[in-house]
Amino acid sequence: MPDVAIDAPPALTVAALTKRYGERVALHDVSFDAAAGELVALIGPNGAGKTTMLSILAGIQSPDSGSVSRPPREIGWVPQQPAVYSKLSVAENLRLFARLERVPDANAAVTRMLEQTALEDRADDEVGRLSGGNQQRVNIAVGLLAAPPVLLLDEPSSSLDPRQRERLWEFVGRLAAGGTTVVYSTHNVQEAERYADRVLVLADGELLFGGTPKQLEEMVGGAAAGPRDFEAAFVRFLHERGH
Ligand SMILES: Nc1ncnc2c1ncn2[C@@H]1O[C@H](COP(=O)(O)OP(=O)(O)OP(=O)(O)O)[C@@H](O)[C@H]1O
């Protein structure tokens, strides 16, 4: 995490979000802050509410109650399923989304994103012909077109091989080092341990924990409870809380 002034206001404040689908409570009174340049991982079992949380932050759905400190236009969104057009080239996709999002200087934004995601060489290639890793870069480039201060990624590494995953996290790390707040969901708990300043643990719509991976391990006994393994600590943490 970069140095932030102690009294700097959070880059994102999520206050008391609740979301129901009929009888089902997908999120219950969830609050957290994220600082500029902070990398926050949202982890939790299937159905915990991770995607619901990210889609509310992205403005795709509204909460039943609670608030988000920024409007959706200030929050970039990278969905799990790429929303890009496979028959269009990389540059065509970026130009299209830049116009749809009314980015002030669309051409400059496209050039900047091609450069930032190192896709200049692929600018004229059809997206459908790119590797999974490069398709994911296009997906992220779309989320970053408006240079948002906050970027959301829904399970960004799930379809990538280990090398592509490494590159993804290098890129995301650079973004965060440049001041962008990044909130992502993942099922890969080890990845959250490696690539998050802070993890938020959601289960059945409740926020059970927010802190560093080390703090979570300490809560379940740390090294005294066995060899250091964040995934085991995470499972144990959930088990102790009835999940
Ligand atoms: N559109 C919807 N209509 C009804 N129920 C929904 C809808 N979307 C999600 N849910 C329910 O809300 C709860 C939270 O779902 P959500 O997809 O946010 O969880 P998740 O943590 O992202 O899960 P996963 O890890 O499986 O992707 C689940 O019980 C899910 O079945």
Side-chain angles (χ1 to χ4, degrees):
M1 201 174 123
D3 290 337
V4 278
I6 305 258
D7 54 358
L12 179 70
T13 298
V14 171
L17 283 190
T18 293
K19 175 74 183 175
R20 289 183 202 86
Y21 297 110
E23 293 287 290
R24 179 172 291 280
V25 180
L27 287 177
H28 178 68
D29 200 23
V30 175
S31 302
F32 68 92
D33 281 342
E38 194 172 19
L39 260 167
V40 179
L42 213 49
I43 57 177
N46 286 119
K50 303 182 292 296
T51 301
T52 300
M53 163 67 77
L54 293 179
S55 61
I56 290 172
L57 300 184
I60 292 162
Q61 26 178 7
S62 310
D64 291 309
S65 56
S67 63
V68 179
S69 63
R70 286 185 184 276
R73 73 184 137 74
E74 294 177 8
I75 300 182
W77 166 235
V78 182
Q80 200 178 343
Q81 298 302 329
V84 290
Y85 293 90
S86 58
K87 292 283 177 201
L88 295 184
S89 73
V90 173
E92 286 166 344
N93 264 291
L94 293 177
R95 223 170 284 130
L96 174 67
F97 281 98
R99 294 207 174 109
L100 287 174
E101 289 180 28
R102 305 211 167 112
V103 173
D105 186 345
N107 286 333
V110 170
T111 307
R112 179 170 48 80
M113 283 328 304
L114 287 171
E115 202 178 281
Q116 201 178 337
T117 53
L119 282 168
E120 294 117 312
D121 294 353
R122 302 305 177 98
D124 299 321
D125 292 1
E126 262 183 34
V127 166
R129 293 177 184 273
L130 299 178
S131 69
N134 279 338
Q135 288 192 16
Q136 178 63 310
R137 281 194 210 193
V138 179
N139 205 21
I140 294 175
V142 169
L144 287 170
L145 274 167
V150 177
L151 183 71
L152 311 172
L153 304 150
D154 194 8
E155 298 204 27
S157 64
S158 57
S159 61
L160 304 182
D161 70 29
R163 197 171 50 114
Q164 291 170 337
R165 216 176 286 156
E166 186 80 29
R167 284 205 199 135
L168 166 79
W169 291 115
E170 274 169 25
F171 176 75
V172 171
R174 278 199 301 277
L175 266 181
T180 305
T181 301
V182 180
V183 182
Y184 66 92
S185 67
T186 183
H187 274 291
N188 186 330
V189 177
Q190 307 292 10
E191 204 167 69
E193 181 192 20
R194 280 179 75 181
Y195 302 111
D197 298 308
R198 195 148 52 98
V199 296
L200 303 177
V201 179
L202 270 180
D204 289 335
E206 308 254 358
L207 182 62
L208 299 183
F209 173 83
T212 64
K214 191 156 182 284
Q215 286 168 336
L216 189 136
E217 283 187 46
E218 282 163 6
M219 282 181 81
V220 292
R228 195 182 131 81
D229 177 344
F230 182 63
E231 185 148 9
F234 171 65
V235 171
R236 191 176 168 135
F237 174 85
L238 288 176
H239 182 70
E240 285 177 1
R241 280 151 190 82
H243 294 281

